[in-house]
Amino acid sequence: MRNILIITVLFASVFGFAQEKEKDKASVFNRKHELKVGAIHLLGASTLEGTYEYIYSKDFTYGTSLLLSFDNKNYYDEEFSITPFARFYFQETKEYGAQGFFVEGFGKFLSGKYSPLFSSDTPKSYSAAALGLCLGKKWTNSSGFVFEILGGGGRTIGGSNKPDGIFRGDLLIGYRF
């Protein structure tokens, strides 16, 4: 009788721990917040782009990006930008939310120094707003780390001495919490 009781207790404890590990493994996909940093901007142009994304549902998220340039040589037209966005995800499996292929619509306020291509003019300061679309893909692992590829563009709608079009893209690395 004692052996049966010991075996039952051991089986129940192993089964209980297995369920707890499965809960912990799936819980990263129930988290609602992500912070990410743009790797190409940071390494290539000494520009910091930080992104916060809120996971509203498995198929829809929204957030904002903030870009600050530390480059005095103006290799990159933008010195400052703030970009609110909304994303729609199109993943094949619905068990893990807010990952896979997505389409993003964004608005952007940006400022910096700009001179048209093939022009010898000195760059002039500008401020403008823009609207655009991006495509991307996001991967999330079970510990919460996020890797994302993003690329797209938009059109400026205000200001003077500004670029007509803008590019939005990067490789982003972050964490879901």
Side-chain angles (χ1 to χ4, degrees):
M1 180 73 164
R2 189 182 325 169
N3 289 339
I4 293 174
L5 182 63
I6 291 172
I7 290 172
T8 305
V9 169
L10 286 175
F11 180 73
S13 65
V14 167
F15 184 70
F17 285 123
Q19 282 184 338
E20 185 176 317
K21 285 183 182 180
E22 287 299 316
K23 273 186 198 174
D24 290 343
K25 193 173 185 180
S27 70
V28 72
F29 299 106
N30 293 329
R31 298 175 186 172
K32 299 287 187 188
H33 309 277
E34 287 181 3
L35 286 177
K36 297 172 274 197
V37 174
I40 292 177
H41 278 121
L42 188 60
L43 297 174
S46 66
T47 302
L48 176 66
E49 182 173 18
T51 301
Y52 169 77
E53 185 174 355
Y54 178 75
I55 301 165
Y56 183 75
S57 71
K58 293 181 179 186
D59 298 324
F60 178 72
T61 65
Y62 56 88
T64 190
S65 291
L66 179 67
L67 182 137
L68 299 168
S69 177
F70 304 107
D71 190 2
N72 294 334
K73 297 176 183 160
N74 295 319
Y75 293 125
Y76 193 65
D77 291 339
E78 295 177 33
E79 293 178 350
F80 170 80
S81 70
I82 187 161
T83 310
F85 61 84
R87 292 181 178 172
F88 296 95
Y89 287 85
F90 300 94
Q91 61 265 16
E92 294 175 11
T93 61
K94 299 292 182 182
E95 59 190 24
Y96 302 126
Q99 73 174 10
F101 175 74
F102 63 84
V103 175
E104 172 185 292
F106 67 89
K108 187 175 213 176
F109 172 77
L110 62 156
S111 64
K113 292 184 180 172
Y114 173 74
S115 64
L117 288 176
F118 310 115
S119 173
S120 61
D121 295 342
T122 59
K124 296 179 182 174
S125 295
Y126 74 93
S127 293
L131 295 173
L133 292 172
C134 289
L135 298 175
K137 184 151 183 169
K138 184 195 297 184
W139 295 270
T140 306
N141 73 3
S142 60
S143 62
F145 287 99
V146 176
F147 178 74
E148 179 179 307
I149 297 173
L150 172 71
R155 183 89 180 182
T156 54
I157 55 176
S160 60
N161 301 322
K162 62 178 176 40
D164 292 330
I166 58 158
F167 172 74
R168 174 165 160 73
D170 211 336
L171 298 175
L172 296 126
I173 299 168
Y175 187 72
R176 185 179 285 187
F177 59 97

